[in-house]
Amino acid sequence: MADQERVQQAVYRAVDELNKQLPKGISVNKSPDAVLYGKTGKLESIDVVTLIMEVEDQIKAEFGTSITIADDRAMSRENSPFLTVGTLTDYVAELLN
Amino acid sequence: MSQLVEQVVLITGARKGIGRSLAEHYLGHGYSVVGCSRKDSDLRHERYHHYCLSVTDETSIKSMFADLANRNGRLDVLINNAGIASMNHVLLTSVDKAREILDTNFIGTFLMCREAARLMKKNQFGRIVNVASVATPLKLEGEAVYAASKAAVISFTQVVAKELASFGITVNAIGPTPIDTDLIKSVPEEKLDQLVRLQAIKRRGTFSDVTNLIDFLIRPESDFITGQVIFLGGV
């Protein structure tokens, strides 16, 4: 069972990496409630792509496991895993388990 | 479209969507219809026979054609409808998914064409219709692998048309616009609307748009039309 705390820290490190690449004035908070995508999100779709890539890299570094986050399973969910940092973290933990 | 000798049409991906609609259409026009798909079909008709197989599985395809040759003795029309899509940014696309798309959309089309043409050649007559997509000419973002797989289908169609012409077999491709089927169910409405705006005729496609075009391509009178790709909607 993947440690939820370790997953969360890996996602936060990915958020740090994303924030370095975002335009001035735009950043994602390291908080489960931080909105990523959707009507109230501040990110462009390419920023979400970048974040997912960073999360995949951080998970590989932390757990030594390669995961594919954005696949048909993720896309076809009624509640998108990409809405907030929290939903993304939960989804990644689910994939690892 | 009724004929003295019962003509045989083989449709891949016949369980649902466009394939199912084509199967019902050609049954309605007196054809003997052979369908295949990975899962079983609930279509029941005295002139319908269904095979459960993957279009990427060469052994199963060869068995199906051997059985088809025994049962029907001929094949007049092949419609390579089976296809899969997966919308994703290239940076997030796994190699497994890329292989799966290429296998079904391109290798599947290749295998079916090869086996069908061997049977069609015996009668010196055949009509092969492959299914391409507007994703290729429109260069749709998020569809890189899918568009590439359909580009392969287009090139394949154009070359094979030449290789099979002397056997009386025509090979053409159709490029449907988005039609409400499972293939596009995970594509956001907004994306589909954007896509439709790129067409000359700004509406989604229907099953009858597809059957109308295939009817035209498989007519005996269309024996001088081969190696062509016709996109719907004015793309």
Side-chain angles (χ1 to χ4, degrees):
Chain A
M1 189 111 166
D3 183 338
Q4 183 83 12
E5 178 63 26
R6 280 172 72 199
V7 176
Q8 188 172 60
Q9 290 309 315
V11 171
Y12 285 173
R13 284 195 293 279
V15 169
D16 283 336
E17 291 302 318
L18 171 70
N19 284 338
K20 285 182 202 165
Q21 300 170 48
L22 290 176
K24 230 178 170 182
I26 298 179
S27 65
V28 174
N29 290 333
K30 286 190 279 184
S31 144
D33 299 333
V35 177
L36 296 175
Y37 206 53
K39 286 193 177 110
T40 56
K42 293 172 288 186
L43 299 181
E44 301 287 335
S45 56
I46 192 66
D47 301 328
V48 179
V49 167
T50 301
L51 176 62
I52 294 168
M53 267 170 42
E54 293 293 348
V55 171
E56 286 176 349
D57 289 349
Q58 291 295 337
I59 293 295
K60 173 74 178 160
E62 179 69 25
F63 295 95
T65 308
S66 290
I67 56 168
T68 299
I69 298 173
D71 60 8
D72 297 345
R73 193 164 41 152
M75 305 298 189
S76 61
R77 287 212 159 186
E78 205 166 315
N79 297 314
S80 168
F82 309 121
L83 289 177
T84 66
V85 169
T87 59
L88 179 59
T89 305
D90 291 344
Y91 186 67
V92 170
E94 194 184 313
L95 287 181
L96 285 169
N97 290 327
Chain B
M1 218 185 287
S2 62
Q3 53 271 316
L4 293 174
V5 180
E6 205 167 85
Q7 291 211 313
V8 182
V9 56
L10 168 58
I11 301 164
T12 68
R15 186 174 68 87
K16 57 183 184 171
I18 296 173
R20 170 67 178 243
S21 139
L22 288 167
E24 290 172 357
H25 175 77
Y26 289 110
L27 284 169
H29 283 84
Y31 283 78
S32 191
V33 177
V34 179
C36 67
S37 61
R38 282 175 293 188
K39 293 181 191 161
D40 200 7
S41 169
D42 62 1
L43 179 56
R44 300 284 176 260
H45 192 286
E46 58 182 1
R47 278 181 281 107
Y48 183 73
H49 190 78
H50 194 87
Y51 295 88
C52 284
L53 56 80
S54 160
V55 293
T56 65
D57 180 353
E58 185 180 22
T59 308
S60 306
I61 290 171
K62 283 188 164 183
S63 304
M64 173 180 74
F65 274 94
D67 193 51
L68 194 159
N70 280 335
R71 294 166 74 94
N72 301 93
R74 59 186 291 142
L75 178 65
D76 301 281
V77 179
L78 165 67
I79 304 170
N80 273 313
N81 161 74
I84 55 171
S86 178
M87 196 169 172
N88 210 339
H89 194 284
V90 66
L91 295 176
L92 302 178
T93 303
S94 69
V95 69
D96 289 345
K97 180 53 76 177
R99 285 206 176 100
E100 190 187 338
I101 293 171
L102 285 167
D103 263 3
T104 301
N105 295 359
F106 173 62
I107 298 295
T109 297
F110 152 70
L111 283 171
M112 297 296 297
C113 280
R114 188 188 70 191
E115 295 306 310
R118 288 180 180 196
L119 187 52
M120 289 170 168
K121 183 172 164 286
K122 293 186 172 136
N123 276 343
Q124 291 289 299
F125 177 87
R127 296 278 181 268
I128 297 176
V129 180
N130 294 328
V131 177
S133 166
V134 296
T136 302
L138 293 178
K139 298 163 180 65
L140 296 181
E141 289 175 60
E143 303 278 11
V145 178
Y146 175 73
S149 74
K150 292 298 192 179
V153 169
I154 290 172
S155 287
F156 181 75
T157 300
Q158 291 164 336
V159 177
V160 170
K162 290 186 176 180
E163 294 184 1
L164 300 180
S166 60
F167 305 124
I169 301 169
T170 67
V171 190
N172 293 288
I174 65 165
T177 58
I179 294 174
D180 289 320
T181 65
D182 284 354
L183 191 87
I184 60 163
K185 71 180 178 194
S186 63
V187 180
E189 285 292 310
E190 181 197 324
K191 288 269 177 201
L192 292 171
D193 291 342
Q194 276 174 15
L195 204 164
V196 165
R197 282 199 289 275
L198 298 172
Q199 299 166 194
I201 302 166
K202 299 179 198 324
R203 67 165 171 84
R204 289 196 196 169
T206 63
F207 290 151
S208 65
D209 293 324
V210 174
T211 48
N212 173 53
L213 179 52
I214 297 179
D215 281 349
F216 167 69
L217 291 172
I218 68 174
R219 290 165 57 177
E221 296 84 352
S222 296
D223 60 353
F224 204 43
I225 302 169
T226 196
Q228 304 304 303
V229 186
I230 301 179
F231 293 102
L232 287 165
V235 169

